[in-house]
Structure formats: structure tokens, C-alpha cells
Amino acid sequence: MTNQKQPQHSFSDQVLSWYDIHARTLPWRSKPGVRPTPYHVWLSEIMLQQTTVATVGPYFEKFLQAWPTVGHMAAAPLDDILTAWAGLGYYARARNLHKCAISVQRDFAGIFPQTRDELLSLPGIGPYTAAAISSIAFDQPEAVVDGNIERILARIYRITEPLPGAKKTITKRAEELTPSTRAGDYAQALMDIGATICTPRNPKCEACPISGSCAANEKLDMETFPVKAPKKIKPTRRAFILWLETDDGSVLLRRRDEKGLLGGMMEFPSTSWQAEEVTTEEALARFSDHLSADASFLEKDMVRHTFTHFHLHLRPLQLPVSKEMFADMPNIIWVKPENFSNYALPTLMTKVVKSVQQGQGNLL
DNA sequence: AAGTCGGGGTG
DNA sequence: CACCCAGACTT
């Protein structure tokens, strides 16, 4: 771009004019002309990281009911946050959400900071979210770059460099195009366009307010962009997972380590997740200290689950046990299935619950 | 720069 | 089935 004065109908003007007519109404958005609540903007932006609008909706409402202000959230136990977050995924977000609430309450007197740099210093807030909060909640002229905007700019300029390497180039373009006022509306407009018009496949260019500025639309090779680096294939890991049930109907749950995969969430105990097949006998031997030698058990339907970088096959084993034999196992609790909703069970574990509770299973 | 971190919707 | 999503954090 040049340093000349923008024409009257600049790119951002076209985008904003479209937004004034076509903006989607979303739970975290304010009415036109009204400043949104920074706490709502922050909460929604954290939830929306790598997560679709439809998925976030119910969680956003539930969190606002439970914690109306950042002060309420800062005062809550982390486990309550994790339980409410269960099913939404990327659980480090929930842990950082809690850390961030505590920091805002303690270091900023419960008032969210307005600048990009101050927001960047808070847990769970990276380059995208800092710019989004600063522009949407405080009308600061920050350039927002999410996956939608990356795709739109890559098409407009037909950027042939593959992501993620092209990120710097795209950010530079975004900064050139971002208006000095209404940067938040401009960003939300582009994200709406990306979600509903400039989609990854079958983009609806005839409905796009900026197709006239789009080099890819001119050459009719929209789906070529953005170019992305090839992805690694996902290996498969396997394990047995144990549904250990006492005669009063309680089932053993264990809390995972705070760090790493499903950090801080509850699980049923399992053998180690590994590529190699394991026999049922070896799996039970792994827990021999806690099981009687002649224990009978049911083998339930396999649970399939895919994480970001591997597939997982879990084979549930349902066994009758006594609590006494697990007295020395750390981080465990006994819970009746009707109370599972009060615990931080990730979706993988709810799949295990369904497998155990349906069908007969094979008696072995 | 590459790897880790969920889950659901879509084609 | 692979691909995508209002990315952040670690190594």
C-alpha cells in the first residue's frame, strides 16, 4: 500500500458497509453502537480458539450464568471451571482462563486492560486474541488475523507461500488494510465473511462484498488458497481402559496430571497408550495388585477417538471390585454414574461410559 | 520452525 | 476418510 489518502470507498469501507447490513447476531456481540462488555469478549474469544461458533454458544451462556463477572470466575475453584469446560476440548484454555481471571482481578483491579501489549501478557491470550479484544472491546486499531482472515487475504492477494510461513506476509497485509476506527467491527465482518461466504471449499463469491478486490476470484482458483504445508499422518495408539465398579454401583475415577493431554481432567484408569497391541491378560496383569486372580469381567465395544496428532482405540473392561483393594491408588474417587455430570470428564471418557452402559459385552 | 493440545462439522 | 475451525504454548 502507499501512504496516499485512501479512496472514499476503500476496502475497509466496503467491508464495514456489508457488516452494517449482514452482521450475524451472536450471544457475545452487543447491539450496534453499544460497546460490548470486555469480560464477554474475552470469554468468547478464548472459547472460540479453534472452536466453531455453534459449539461455543451453550458453553458461553453456561459460564456467564455461573460466573457473571471476572471477579466471580477468579474466586472459583479450578475444578469447577474444568467441569464446566468438559467437552469443549483444549483444556489448557480452561486452566489459563482461570489464571487470567485471577491476574485481571489481582493485577488490574478486575478491569481488563485495553492495549494489545498488556493483553498479550495475560495467560491464554496470544497475538490473535490480544488484537481481537483490543479492537472489539476497546475500538483500538489493531490488526486481527485468525484462520478466516488468513484465508480471505491469501485469496485476495493469491499468496503462494504456504502457511504457516506466510503468516508474516499475511499479517503485514492485514495491518495495511485495517481501518483506524471500527477495527473491531471490520475484523468481525471479515470473520463473518470467512465463515459464511469465503469458506474453505465452495466459496460463495457471488455473495461476497469484496470479490471485486479478489485476485483468486478473478482467476477462478479460490480453493487453491491458502496454500498449506503438508501434514503428518496420525499414528494409532491402543490401550485397555478399566470400568471398576463396586457392589454399591460406584465407579473409580482418577484425576490426570495437570500438564499435558487432558490435563487436570478425570479419567478411568487404563494401560499405557501405545502403538503395540496388548493382550487382555497383559492388561489385567498391569493391575494385578488391585484385582483378585479369578476376577470375571466383561469386554465392551471398542471406543475410537481422534486427537490432534494420533488416533486412539480403547477397549473397555468392566470388572467388579472392592474399594479396599484400591486404597493405595492416588488421586482417585468413587462416583456413581448418575453423578458423572458433576465431574470433569472429557468427551473421550463419556464415550467409554456409553460403551459400558450399552449392550451386553463379552463375558470372559 | 515444529510439536503438543480436543472435539465436532463438513465434503 | 481428511480437512477445517475467532490459536496458544512449549521446545
Side-chain angles (χ1 to χ4, degrees):
Chain A
M1 295 290 280
T2 68
N3 57 6
Q4 296 173 355
K5 190 173 181 181
Q6 295 286 328
Q8 189 171 358
H9 295 291
S10 65
F11 180 82
S12 61
D13 284 340
Q14 293 179 263
V15 171
L16 286 166
S17 296
W18 178 89
Y19 190 66
D20 288 336
I21 301 171
H22 295 100
R24 292 187 292 174
T25 56
L26 300 174
W28 43 87
R29 280 187 184 168
S30 61
K31 295 174 181 175
V34 178
R35 279 282 183 87
T37 305
Y39 174 62
H40 298 182
V41 175
W42 165 71
L43 177 60
S44 66
E45 290 300 342
I46 300 299
M47 288 181 166
L48 286 163
Q49 290 168 4
Q50 295 292 288
T51 309
T52 56
V53 163
T55 301
V56 165
Y59 283 89
F60 179 78
E61 303 288 3
K62 177 168 65 174
F63 270 66
L64 276 194
Q65 285 288 329
W67 304 291
T69 71
V70 69
H72 290 91
M73 186 177 290
L78 172 60
D79 190 43
D80 287 359
I81 309 269
L82 288 175
T83 299
W85 196 274
L88 199 49
Y90 283 142
Y91 297 98
R93 292 186 295 172
R95 301 193 297 273
N96 284 330
L97 189 79
H98 191 229
K99 285 184 189 172
C100 185
I102 291 171
S103 178
V104 169
Q105 188 65 21
R106 186 192 60 221
D107 304 330
F108 296 92
I111 311 292
F112 274 88
Q114 301 193 12
T115 68
R116 190 193 106 101
D117 286 348
E118 285 178 299
L119 290 162
L120 256 183
S121 73
L122 291 166
I125 298 182
Y128 161 77
T129 305
I133 297 174
S134 185
S135 63
I136 295 171
F138 302 113
D139 197 30
Q140 298 300 296
E142 299 292 347
V144 178
V145 182
D146 78 320
N148 291 299
I149 296 175
E150 278 183 355
R151 184 171 57 257
I152 292 171
L153 297 188
R155 287 174 175 172
I156 285 175
Y157 294 106
R158 294 185 80 252
I159 295 171
T160 55
E161 182 185 0
L163 285 168
K167 182 89 176 178
K168 282 193 67 173
T169 303
I170 291 174
T171 299
K172 187 175 174 63
R173 296 297 194 188
E175 289 168 349
E176 294 166 355
L177 294 173
T178 298
S180 57
T181 62
R182 295 191 68 188
D185 284 349
Y186 167 81
Q188 292 180 94
L190 285 186
M191 291 189 282
D192 280 7
I193 291 170
T196 62
I197 296 173
C198 195
T199 48
R201 286 179 295 275
N202 305 319
K204 303 166 183 62
C205 298
E206 69 282 359
C208 183
I210 52 179
S211 60
S213 306
C214 183
N217 177 60
E218 188 170 348
K219 292 214 171 193
L220 296 178
D221 58 358
M222 296 81 67
E223 291 191 13
T224 304
F225 305 96
V227 180
K228 298 204 171 183
K231 300 185 175 171
K232 295 181 59 179
I233 58 167
K234 294 177 180 174
T236 298
R237 300 181 190 172
R238 301 172 176 83
F240 286 90
I241 188 160
L242 275 55
W243 176 283
L244 305 169
E245 186 171 353
T246 65
D247 50 17
D248 74 346
S250 297
V251 178
L252 188 151
L253 288 179
R254 180 172 63 181
R255 188 176 298 281
R256 294 176 62 87
D257 192 277
E258 286 291 327
K259 301 187 302 181
L261 189 72
L262 306 177
M265 302 295 285
M266 305 301 293
E267 68 173 359
F268 304 107
S270 67
T271 57
S272 62
W273 302 358
Q274 55 189 30
E276 297 75 27
E277 299 272 6
V278 180
T279 67
T280 311
E281 290 71 23
E282 290 169 323
L284 292 178
R286 168 76 175 73
F287 291 89
S288 60
D289 290 353
H290 305 281
L291 302 174
S292 54
D294 62 343
S296 64
F297 58 91
L298 286 173
E299 182 157 3
K300 312 295 288 193
D301 290 341
M302 185 190 307
V303 171
R304 297 169 183 274
H305 195 75
T306 300
F307 291 98
T308 310
H309 53 292
F310 65 92
H311 304 287
L312 180 63
H313 294 175
L314 288 180
R315 298 170 62 183
L317 301 178
Q318 181 178 15
L319 290 92
V321 297
S322 63
K323 291 184 182 179
E324 294 75 39
M325 303 193 68
F326 294 87
D328 62 335
M329 189 175 280
N331 303 321
I332 69 164
I333 52 174
W334 297 91
V335 180
K336 294 183 177 175
E338 64 258 36
N339 295 323
F340 278 168
S341 61
N342 298 329
Y343 293 86
L345 286 172
T347 295
L348 167 63
M349 296 303 155
T350 67
K351 287 184 181 178
V352 173
V353 174
K354 285 180 184 171
S355 173
V356 170
Q357 292 186 331
Q358 95 180 47
Q360 304 302 315
N362 300 316
L363 180 60
L364 299 177

